[in-house]
Amino acid sequence: QVQLVESGGGLVQAGGSLRLSCAASGRSFRDDVMGWVRQAPGKEREFVAATKWIGGQNYWSNYAASVKGRFTISKENEGNTLYLQMNSLTPDDTAVYYCVAASSITDVRQPSQYSLWGQGTQVFVSS
């Protein structure tokens, strides 16, 4: 069964940090574009970050303007574990965070183009 399973969410105070993990299984994700999308209460799903690795190296990473400089996306060499290091968190970062993947994609910032989604992990940032 091909699946993405997130972990690492929780409650943190503003200014704090969290690291989200995503365990991908069922096939190799080495060549996929993998990323994170979040959804806050009452809002649409929002692109957070995405990355593509080739040959065990970070080929590119792309971040939403709202998280650039605070969040870092990374991937293990084998491609089946994805991370999101989140620093300097604010209450605006409160959302359910979804791990996403696509073997082929044209617009990495468009959540609807990701074909595989995890179940999500809740992040709550208190002020």
Side-chain angles (χ1 to χ4, degrees):
Q1 181 181 3
V2 178
Q3 61 179 358
L4 305 173
V5 179
E6 303 94 335
S7 61
L11 171 64
V12 64
Q13 287 188 330
S17 299
L18 279 176
R19 188 175 84 153
L20 305 184
S21 300
C22 171
S25 61
R27 64 169 175 84
S28 172
F29 287 79
R30 188 176 55 189
D31 297 328
D32 280 47
V33 171
M34 297 187 73
W36 296 91
V37 170
R38 67 186 181 186
Q39 186 168 25
K43 295 187 177 181
E44 293 186 355
R45 290 179 172 179
E46 175 191 22
F47 168 78
V48 175
T51 191
K52 183 173 176 69
W53 286 45
I54 296 178
Q57 301 276 340
N58 186 346
Y59 188 55
W60 56 257
S61 295
N62 193 308
Y63 295 91
S66 59
V67 307
K68 195 170 185 179
R70 300 187 298 122
F71 291 10
T72 302
I73 190 170
S74 61
K75 199 176 180 185
E76 280 191 346
N77 284 346
E78 292 301 316
N80 280 36
T81 305
L82 184 73
Y83 302 100
L84 185 68
Q85 178 66 43
M86 305 187 296
N87 299 329
S88 302
L89 286 161
T90 76
D92 287 341
D93 296 315
T94 294
V96 177
Y97 284 71
Y98 297 92
C99 179
V100 295
S103 56
S104 178
I105 193 169
T106 56
D107 184 357
V108 300
R109 290 172 172 259
Q110 182 54 252
S112 63
Q113 292 205 12
Y114 290 91
S115 55
L116 188 62
W117 290 67
Q119 83 288 350
T121 185
Q122 176 72 56
V123 171
F124 186 85
V125 184
S126 63
S127 57

